[in-house]
Amino acid sequence: MSNLLLAVALISLVVGGVGIMNIMLVSVTERTREIGLRMAVGARSRDILQQFLTESILLCSLGGIIGILLGHGAALMVHHVSNWPIQASPGIVVAAFFVSALVGIVFGFYPAWKASKLDPIEALRYE
């Protein structure tokens, strides 16, 4: 049973990560002119990479915090309704937060890298 739950959790993380990657790729596409302008006025590729990677990590971390709060709220509701004992482990909560941030790093790297490699002249011409 434990392996089944692990498999479901991993599939959920991959699906969520692909969703984050798609959101970030759309963000890069929509902001191509902004990226070109920033590069034209002196932003380095590293700055663009850092900006989009930070956005991805922030998006995933915020989602992780919301998930932790909803999970804890659901556990409290189950406790009040059915009187089942609950125990929230601080280590598990911290691990869940770091896993969500890690998903942001892993799945946000490609869109950030793609944004950082745009040619400023072509990006400014993009419509």
Side-chain angles (χ1 to χ4, degrees):
M1 187 66 164
S2 171
N3 289 335
L4 177 65
L5 289 175
L6 180 64
V8 169
L10 289 176
I11 290 170
S12 298
L13 284 174
V14 169
V15 169
V18 169
I20 293 295
M21 185 184 293
N22 286 335
I23 289 169
M24 294 306 297
L25 284 170
V26 168
S27 177
V28 168
T29 302
E30 287 179 352
R31 295 165 60 188
T32 300
R33 289 184 58 102
E34 173 194 334
I35 295 165
L37 183 62
R38 287 192 63 212
M39 291 178 113
V41 297
R44 298 170 296 192
S45 291
R46 188 174 126 208
D47 299 328
I48 303 297
L49 180 93
Q50 185 177 13
Q51 174 189 352
F52 281 94
L53 203 52
T54 301
E55 287 179 19
S56 175
I57 294 168
L58 189 64
L59 186 64
C60 283
S61 297
L62 184 61
I65 290 170
I66 291 170
I68 289 167
L69 292 175
L70 287 175
H72 188 66
L76 287 175
M77 188 172 61
V78 166
H79 173 68
H80 288 306
V81 170
S82 62
N83 242 358
W84 288 353
I86 62 167
Q87 180 180 2
S89 170
I92 297 296
V93 172
V94 170
F97 176 77
F98 281 118
V99 166
S100 67
L102 181 67
V103 166
I105 292 170
V106 170
F107 287 94
F109 184 78
Y110 175 71
W113 176 79
K114 186 176 176 184
S116 72
K117 296 301 175 194
L118 288 174
D119 179 32
I121 296 169
E122 292 298 320
L124 284 171
R125 275 194 246 172
Y126 182 78
E127 261 317 301

